[in-house]
Amino acid sequence: MLSIKLTDKKFWENNVEAYVFLMKENLDSASDLDSLSKIETEFYPHLKQILKRHKFNGQKGQTYVLTAEKNGKLLQFFFVGLGKLDQAWDRNLEILRRAWASAIQRMKHLSIESAIVALPETEPFKVSSLELLKQLVINSYMANYEFIQFKSNKKDDWNCQLLFDVVDADFTGFTQALEYGKALGSAINTARHWIDLPGNIIHPGTLSEEAQKVAAEYKNLSCTVFGHERAQELGMGSFLSVAKGSEHEGKFVILEYKAADSTAPTIALCGKGVTFDTGGISLKPSSSMDGMKYDMAGAASVIMLMKFFAQLKPNVNVIGITPLVENMPSGRASRQDDIVVAMNGKSIEIKSTDAEGRLILADAMCYAEKFYTPDIIIDIATLTGACAYAVGHLHIALVTRDEDLKAALLASGKLTGDKLWPLPIDDDFVLANNSDVADLANTGARSYGAGTITAACFLESFVNKARWAHLDIASTASDAPGINYLGKGATGASIRALADFIISYGNQDSLMKNLHNTE
Ligand code: BES
Ligand code: ZN
Ligand code: ZN
């Protein structure tokens, strides 16, 4: 457990076990010199030589720990290098996140029980110190995440009290930033935990129960769950065609957060929730089935975002819709060539039962349009393997025709480190999903290539009035290479960016308010 607090006492007056110093290269910034001289006068008169001897000079990625003793108590000094911070502001922020994450991981390794850190100067990051605090708090949680529930030789839980030094500043603002960071950091880690849980534990039944438990904690959050019977009444032939192959009944989950102001705009988030994707009758080869437990990452992200909004109370109504299914082959499963009809009456030829994400999301988006007429729909899905080729594992693929929405989402990605990258989409791609026998085919024609875009185009035909954006997290939801705070397994991709996007959207002072659809 991490317990994070603010302190307005002077840095050195805090009674902690560890002092963390985020230092620039060459250790020559005013605050670096200050901390060094304090350690020199009280503990190590030859500190500079010691650091030099061990080649610590604040380069990016460096860490160094020194132990001292005061009144019979051990103290630890953690030196963490930030490098020159001479890159673009968003890159500098990412360097800070990773440096802080390495401090967290080293403190965890050493079972540090309490620590303090001062916020760095804001200049290289071009954001406020409130934003820095928020991001470092989120990052503390993310860096601490491990999926170890099933390891019998795991170490005791790490309990640490972390203090952020915010002396002489806007304490109320910092308190809000801290609350934001704690709420989002723990939401991200719960989502990651669900995503990491395997398909024998997380299935439509258990995940829908988790959603209900989340909603039960908050007055401003309601949850509706229904199964096959109601889905049939609603005409969700597309959703049901995927669900029916499994022993686990498909569940359709709707979480509703209502803003206090009844005139607030409405955003619907639709998250793909395939708790395991075998491919169905179009069975995946076993090497491609590896990791298909992650195929509900969109749904887990949406459920935890809804919890976060219930806590943060933005001035925007948010609807979280997660169709939950297990995609299995069986005597009851859909076949290739089957034709099904979605809730909006469009018929779909199933060319591959492995292109199941778009089938369940089609009905989710119809449901959002029919019952909520949202201003904006954003869907989040581990939708296509092609995504890894299009944008790699470090960017979420963004597909939208709405330039303002695109700009706002990219900006949130850039600020939070949850990066997005846009792919092109226009009418020419629409033809790729033509079918000879139905209104649409569920796979894009091979001649068009661009599987990520043609899949997005398929989804677009289930949007009616709303402004819409699609996030393909297939290549970012798990196993992001080279990022220490994402580690192994689930990453929580899209949660930080969407949290920022929606909170800013609901903020009256924000530039984003001109996004509100006033038609
Ligand atoms: N869940 C997969 C997409 C995926 C692939 C996610 C690899 C993460 C890693 C999706 O349901 C799928 O199987 N898509 C097919 C679509 C194809 C049949 C048109 C794909 O990408 O191969
Ligand atoms: Zn599939
Ligand atoms: Zn899938």
Side-chain angles (χ1 to χ4, degrees), residues 7-25:
T7 171
D8 55 0
K9 279 194 216 156
K10 290 209 171 61
F11 187 80
W12 289 102
E13 287 171 9
N14 292 279
N15 184 19
V16 288
E17 183 182 1
Y19 297 84
V20 182
F21 306 98
L22 299 164
M23 309 194 98
K24 282 179 72 171
E25 191 160 325

Side-chain angles (χ1 to χ4, degrees), residues 386-453:
C387 190
Y389 298 92
V391 296
H393 297 278
L394 300 170
H395 288 84
I396 295 165
L398 168 65
V399 189
T400 177
R401 299 200 200 212
D402 187 314
E403 292 300 328
D404 290 340
L405 198 50
K406 180 196 282 184
L409 285 165
L410 290 177
S412 291
K414 200 166 172 173
L415 175 65
T416 58
D418 205 6
K419 295 184 289 185
L420 292 88
W421 199 264
L423 294 179
I425 178 172
D426 64 23
D427 285 348
D428 283 336
F429 285 106
V430 174
L431 302 173
N433 295 314
N434 275 358
S435 158
D436 291 339
V437 293
D439 297 335
L440 288 161
N442 82 329
T443 62
R446 195 183 285 267
S447 54
Y448 283 77
T452 305
I453 303 171

